[in-house]
Amino acid sequence: MENTKKIIFASDHAGLNLKRVLMDYFRPNYEIIDVGTKETSSCDYPIYAKNLCIKVLELEALGILICGTGIGMSIAANRYKGIRAALCLNEYMAEKARQHNNANVLCLGERVVGVDLAKSIAQTFLTTPFEGERHLRRIELIENL
Ligand code: RB5
């Protein structure tokens, strides 16, 4: 069971604006942990994906990774054993990512989704529980790949 009161955030330069908006949006109700980047200068997203994955695993919290498309972050994050990162473009995907895949990292693309949609996707992701049962067996199969 995740620590649902903490959210770990990370982005590269291309996701920095949306990350700031989402951190402000969720700050009243969650403890926010930002593992970078904090600069607008161009940087390499795998470094921040790594920072976030380490924290998510350590704190058993949910994480949100943002880059330009969300694709690079999701590819990088899914290299980590125990990380299930889901790139979501709408609330339905966010809901199923939690219910069926027990995703612990949400990936967003700042250049792909608008601010209001991103807030709604993240809200859905953070508040939807894992359904367990048959889905647990499938996740265990993934862990053993
Ligand atoms: C940066 O230009 C961009 O490539 C990066 O943010 C991300 O979209 C990669 O997948």
Side-chain angles (χ1 to χ4, degrees):
M1 189 68 183
E2 297 85 16
N3 184 335
T4 52
K5 288 319 269 179
K6 288 187 169 79
I7 315 172
I8 324 297
F9 276 91
S11 73
D12 67 357
H13 57 288
L16 183 59
N17 286 334
L18 181 58
K19 183 179 71 173
R20 286 176 172 160
V21 169
L22 292 181
M23 289 194 302
D24 288 346
Y25 183 69
F26 287 110
R27 194 167 276 117
N29 297 312
Y30 293 88
E31 181 185 338
I32 302 296
I33 300 169
D34 180 9
V35 295
T37 183
K38 298 180 184 179
E39 317 284 336
T40 55
S41 51
S42 183
C43 62
D44 299 330
Y45 60 81
I47 293 167
Y48 299 98
K50 176 181 176 181
N51 290 351
L52 180 132
C53 290
I54 289 168
K55 270 284 179 219
V56 163
L57 294 170
E58 179 193 321
L59 300 178
E60 296 186 19
L62 295 177
I64 299 181
L65 276 173
I66 311 171
C67 63
T69 59
I71 296 171
M73 285 295 200
S74 63
I75 292 171
N78 279 312
R79 290 289 183 105
Y80 279 80
K81 196 165 180 59
I83 293 292
R84 292 170 301 279
L87 173 57
C88 297
L89 304 181
N90 54 49
E91 295 92 338
Y92 180 81
M93 292 176 77
E95 183 182 72
K96 295 305 163 195
R98 292 288 305 132
Q99 288 177 339
H100 289 193
N101 311 115
N102 199 16
N104 48 10
V105 175
L106 169 66
C107 299
L108 294 170
E110 179 176 323
R111 297 170 181 163
V112 179
V113 292
V115 165
D116 285 352
L117 179 57
K119 285 178 183 171
S120 182
I121 292 169
Q123 179 73 34
T124 303
F125 186 84
L126 294 168
T127 56
T128 303
F130 178 48
E131 282 181 352
E133 299 182 358
R134 68 191 185 282
H135 303 298
L136 189 56
R137 181 178 71 242
R138 293 164 186 167
I139 286 164
E140 282 167 1
L141 287 168
I142 293 173
E143 293 296 323
N144 291 327
L145 288 175

